[in-house]
Amino acid sequence: MSTRPLIGVSTYLESRASWGVWELPAALLPLGYPRQVQAAGGIAAMLPPDDPSYARSVVARLDGVVIAGGPDVEPVRYGAEREARTGPPARERDAWELALIEAALSSGTPLLGICRGMQLMNVALGGTLVQHLEGHVELPGVFGTHTVKPVPGTLYESIVPDACTDVPTYHHQAVDRLGRDLAPSAHAEDGTVEAIELPSPAWALGVQWHPEAGQDTRVMTALVRAAT
């Protein structure tokens, strides 16, 4: 590519992180995210939580947006009460990333949601979430693997046409009621919705697994191509 597209990636926000002699609050991102963007031909720009009113001007400077994985979405965002196994809220991230999603959708900027990012896409469009799901986390802090199957005729199937694919997974929540205009584009063997998308001409795809934790770069490459 003569000009590498600029891909913004939302970040974690941690009250304490350590490196060298330092232990400080940090906005951070697992290295797999920028490495996959770079391997796909893009330039990665970290987007730490900011005032949501700036989201439109930020997205206007980008060629594509990735909403990264992370903590559970606060249930109040989809009109539910918090259940016992739902994690603590990450309100700054929720507000900022929902604003990024809305800005990307309204401007037609290519958008990829990963794990939490897919769930936020669903919530942004009026959908709801299952607050606890068994069987999609094998060991705490360790990515597991399970099989996903594409839905024929979808954007996701055009990117990954394999009859089934093993993907890196780590989540305990999932899409329940789909948001406006969203369609499921892949499922796990237990029926869990593993990918969602908006119809053409939008390029908006969410995947429940973590492509940045594996070797298959096809999803990120498709985003970068759409952003070029």
Side-chain angles (χ1 to χ4, degrees), residues 71-83 86-95 98 116 119-120 123 127 129 131 173:
D72 295 342
V73 180
E74 189 172 18
V76 69
R77 294 284 182 178
Y78 49 94
E81 294 185 3
R82 180 181 180 275
E83 296 178 4
T86 295
R91 295 188 177 107
E92 287 183 80
R93 279 197 67 178
D94 285 356
L98 283 167
R116 164 191 162 87
Q119 295 166 8
L120 269 175
V123 169
L129 303 178
Q131 291 193 44
Q173 297 195 334

Side-chain angles (χ1 to χ4, degrees), residues 10 86 115 136 219:
S10 68
T86 295
C115 197
H136 290 247
V219 168

